[in-house]
Amino acid sequence: MLAPPLASAWAHPSLELHHCRALKSGKVTPPRSRFTVTHQILWRSSVPIGARKKTRAHVIAPGKSPCSDSAATMRQNNSITQETQEGPRLRKYAWDTNEEYLFKAMVAFSMRKVPNRETTEISHVLLCNVTQRVSFWFVVTDPSKTHTLPAVEIQSAIRMNRNRINNAFFLNDQTLEFLRIPSTLAPPTDPPVPIWIIIFGVIFCIVIVATMLLILSGIQQHRRKNEGPSEMEDTEDKCENTITVENGIPCDPLDMKGGHINDAFMTEDERLTPL
Amino acid sequence: MEKARPLWATPLQFVFACISYAVGLGNVWRFPYLCQMYGGGSFLVPYIVMLIVEGMPLLYLELAVGQRMRQGSIGAWRTISPYLSGVGVASVVVSFFLSMYYNVINAWAFWYLFHSFQDPLPWSVCPVNGNRTGYDEECEKATSTQYFWYRKTLNISPSIQENGAVQWEPALCLILAWLLVYLCILRGTESTGKVVYFTASLPYCVLLIYLIRGLTLHGATNGLVYMFTPKMEQLANPKAWINAATQIFFSLGLGFGSLIAFASYNEPSNDCQKHAIIVSLLNSSTSIFASVVTFSIYGFKATFNYESCLNKVILLLTNSFDLEDGFLTASNLEQVKGYLASAYPSKYNEVFPQIKNCSLETELDTAVQGTGLAFIVYTEAIKNMEVSQLWSVLYFFMLLMLGIGSMLGNTAAILTPLTDSKAISSYLPKEAISGLVCFVNCAIGMVFTTEAGNYWFDIFNDYAATLSLLLIVLVETVAVCYLYGLRRFESDLRAMTGRKLSWYWKAMWAGVSPLLIVSLFVFYLSDYIMTGTLRYQAWDASEGQLVTKDYPPYALAIIGLLVASSTMCIPLVALGTFITRCLKRGDTVPGA
């Protein structure tokens, strides 16, 4: 039988309760956003913890921590930089108070970017229920520290600066998950001309050029071969003429040829030369 | 003046041409599947037996016929017996069907090759949906590699009845593929002889590189051990033997007339027995070599998926129970699950439906063949490798080389009889005939680039060549042994090559091989008849998986037409020759 998980040294009950109790007398507060750093790649929290928030009562009962409602749960996943071929070797993200401070600073920074919240201080951000999973809730109070800000506002502020927050911790959308804040997926880059058409065009042109060259050289060879036999045919025709002249009565052709040459010799030569 | 028949520049070109033709996509995507289905290592036993009993003799027969007759398939069989020129015509018809659909695979290989020059590879990520909050629905249901194949490459319709329009992207790739084939066959043996040096040797280089990479992948040994462990009981399964015989038969490309065409360009004194043995041995060893590579890739992919599955379960549990990071590992998963189930039963029951049972065996058991293996499973494995662009380019380049090599043989089978016939070659030069054949094939091949094109491709792939080839080779063997005469053929070969024909070849040609082919034929016919209606796998976009559907009547009619148009050539031409002879005899008798 395995022992239950050890109590973590990461939670600082005294610190959080002090802050959380300060809000005992708060007014009606809407549910806060819950933010979770999730474990690993490819996994989104579908744990219905967020659902709890929606139906919670707004009034903070005395003695009860307001963080029990909502807050972002930050769940820290092992950084994926340690993944090796043997499988992801999980490295624990060292979470301590300084990291908490950085987190609070990032949340405050995000809130300051919202138009009428420029005065948000780090002390206005409260973390509660920090677990060993590195999962916690957080709320942001207004400057008077009387009530917490609406979850929707915090969610939109964090969504605007998600990249900065991720980079501050060297994490990404998968390893630092905010529950209830879906990440905007980056669309794949679309170059103006699809790459494959460029490569297709190059290879197409090469093939066409090579085909044309081969066809043209084939035609040239064909023509050269045709000229060779056609020369042979001309001389053979002459042979034929003189032969027929020889066979027939040598009158007119002899006149045409200019008579004093012995046709027999002529035909012999002409018959032989083409070969 | 008689024009001398073009010859191969060296006998090596002939061997390379035969290897390039025989070693094709079937070695890569069909043999590993068969090996996996029929007992792993023990499948090699029926495979090698069939190689020796069926593959080598029939290959030698075809090469010998081609080299002796020195003509393409129609002329060769007409010389053996005028009634048998129908066999040659049937070979040409089957080759025509094959070249129509086979080049579409090259077009797909081009498509994937061109898309491999991107980062990230387009089949490794799903596209995002309209409002950028999630991935495309079809892609979510299926995997990204399946989505890329069925949606982006094929843009497949839900059934064969919905034809859709011609997709311009695969159509362009098909035109390019045909232009490339035309470039290679343009000058006949002069150009083909040079090209086959590359198409025969480059796939081996790539396979070797992949072997080294594959064996060093994490989890490769899982695949190799699982696949090659012999399951001896499969030896008693008749299907294993039948599939081994079929694989040898179709892998060597017998009966298409390509081997006859290639051998007809040989010197008469060429030692085709030696070449037949070399080619068949190389073909089979390439199959085994490719299956080692494939199984190591399978093992890698299965291990990767198994570990991802485990990690997802670990993540789910860690998040639900807020456990410490790193507490749950693969080794203690079961124990912790047990503990959580007992300690927090209600919460565990909530989470339980989402916990998947991860099993390495089920991942390894997925057996795929055909285009699914090449374009879905392999791409899935490649996208998880480092420098995946390089591996992708290499792999699709190898597929291209294998495909183009086989296409060269197919087109040679069609062109050689055409260029041999005086009627056609006196009108048109060789280049024009080749161009015409390529153009006609490309135009008809556009059917396979429509939205329902893949379904038609499957029809052609399954039915255009199978039965007809068996019949053609059977008639060939019987014709040579009994019509032409085995002794006459033997003395021809001895006069040609100077070597005596061994008793082994004679026994195989006359007895064993025809019997084997008849049994294969009977098996196929009974299989078709027993299954009743023919069915096909259609892609359901809403479910993201394949569903089985029945063929509509007109598709069945086309299947019947495909098979009939090649097989009926044999009796029809024989009948036609008989009638013309009778008429001629009738004409001459009164005159004499």
Side-chain angles (χ1 to χ4, degrees), chain A residues 42-60:
Chain A
L42 297 176
W43 199 80
R44 286 277 186 77
S45 166
S46 52
V47 177
I49 302 177
R52 286 198 318 229
K53 296 184 272 239
K54 292 178 196 159
T55 54
R56 251 338 176 170
H58 298 321
V59 178
I60 300 173

Side-chain angles (χ1 to χ4, degrees), chain A residues 39 43 75-76 133 199 217, chain B residues 187 315 318-319 323 325:
Chain A
H39 194 20
W43 199 80
R75 231 178 351 221
Q76 181 69 55
R133 183 69 188 84
I199 307 171
S217 68
Chain B
R187 288 286 193 81
L315 185 65
T318 317
N319 280 340
L323 302 171
D325 250 349

Side-chain angles (χ1 to χ4, degrees), chain B residues 337-351:
Chain B
K337 265 163 70 172
Y339 163 73
L340 288 173
S342 54
Y344 312 98
S346 53
K347 207 178 194 179
Y348 190 78
N349 284 335
E350 270 174 29
V351 181

Side-chain angles (χ1 to χ4, degrees), chain A residues 37 39 59 91 98 107 126 157 159 163 169 206 241 259 273:
Chain A
V37 172
H39 194 20
V59 178
R91 175 177 70 84
N98 299 324
V107 173
L126 306 176
R159 198 195 244 128
N163 211 23
F169 295 97
I206 295 177
N241 283 338
T273 27

Side-chain angles (χ1 to χ4, degrees), chain A residues 1-2 4 39-40 43 46 75-76 78 85 88 92 133 185 187 195-196 199-200 204 210-211 214 217-218, chain B residues 111 114-115 117-118 128 132 134 169 172 179 183 186-187 218 311 315-316 318-319 323-325 336 339:
Chain A
M1 190 62 156
L2 279 172
H39 194 20
Q40 284 289 307
W43 199 80
S46 52
R75 231 178 351 221
Q76 181 69 55
N78 293 322
Q85 274 296 74
K92 286 198 189 118
R133 183 69 188 84
L185 299 167
I195 297 181
W196 75 272
I199 307 171
F200 169 81
F204 193 75
T211 314
L214 273 184
S217 68
Chain B
W111 169 264
F114 296 152
H115 276 87
F117 290 95
Q118 295 172 22
V128 292
R132 295 223 220 138
E169 298 104 335
L172 276 183
L179 274 176
L183 178 64
L186 189 48
R187 288 286 193 81
H218 164 62
N311 285 330
L315 185 65
L316 176 66
T318 317
N319 280 340
L323 302 171
E324 192 179 311
D325 250 349
V336 173
Y339 163 73

